[in-house]
Amino acid sequence: MIRKERGAVALEFLVLFPMIISLIYAAGVYGVLFSWQVRMQIAVDRATASVMSLDRNTADDPKAKAEELAQVSMNEIVPDFIGNAAGACEADESQVTCKLAVALMESGCGGNDSSSSVASPRQLGFFGGFPPMPSCLEATAKVAY
């Protein structure tokens, strides 16, 4: 009876090991993506929050000053993987909007040419298209001033 069961453990290992490794790989990839998303959202939140110190009554051109405050703050805290965040913040007469986008695939971020592109985890390793990922990470924050 023992003779018939020889190799059963090796066969189970052969079947289960690739699945376990792929699950660990997927957890790592999604962990990196969630980290990037959180860091981007924190950057745009802080950039828009920096405008709250603006006193519209003392500024000559509140719109330009609000945009300048947000852009300076954005340039100081933008995550490393974004690169240059020039033009990420825009102001109109009543609010400031800051946006960051990172294209993870060649298709980009829905026609948004201002997005930066990074090396996609999809291009790494031997798993091909696993795990499925979004084509773009975006973070947006608005604040009225």
Side-chain angles (χ1 to χ4, degrees), residues 76-128:
E76 290 175 2
I77 60 178
V78 70
D80 298 337
F81 60 87
I82 296 288
N84 187 5
C89 296
E90 297 175 350
D92 61 17
E93 297 304 322
S94 63
Q95 70 180 5
V96 174
T97 304
C98 292
K99 296 179 184 178
L100 287 177
V102 174
L104 297 175
M105 294 185 201
E106 293 169 1
S107 60
C109 293
N112 185 1
D113 293 335
S114 65
S115 65
S116 29
S117 182
V118 297
S120 170
R122 181 179 300 270
Q123 299 167 352
L124 303 175
F126 52 87
F127 289 111

Side-chain angles (χ1 to χ4, degrees), residues 7-23 127:
V9 173
L11 185 61
E12 288 177 6
F13 177 78
L14 185 66
V15 171
L16 294 178
F17 184 71
M19 291 192 314
I20 291 171
I21 292 299
S22 63
L23 288 175
F127 289 111

Side-chain angles (χ1 to χ4, degrees), residues 22-104:
S22 63
L23 288 175
I24 292 170
Y25 176 75
V29 168
Y30 285 133
V32 168
L33 290 179
F34 290 140
S35 170
W36 287 359
Q37 180 68 42
V38 167
R39 290 173 59 196
M40 289 169 53
Q41 192 62 51
I42 288 171
V44 294
D45 288 344
R46 288 184 181 169
T48 54
S50 68
V51 178
M52 298 304 291
S53 65
L54 176 65
D55 184 7
R56 293 184 69 155
N57 296 327
T58 60
D60 294 334
D61 185 7
K63 177 183 171 186
K65 186 65 175 171
E67 190 168 331
E68 177 189 353
L69 281 170
Q71 192 61 50
V72 166
S73 179
M74 177 67 79
N75 289 337
E76 290 175 2
I77 60 178
V78 70
D80 298 337
F81 60 87
I82 296 288
N84 187 5
C89 296
E90 297 175 350
D92 61 17
E93 297 304 322
S94 63
Q95 70 180 5
V96 174
T97 304
C98 292
K99 296 179 184 178
L100 287 177
V102 174
L104 297 175

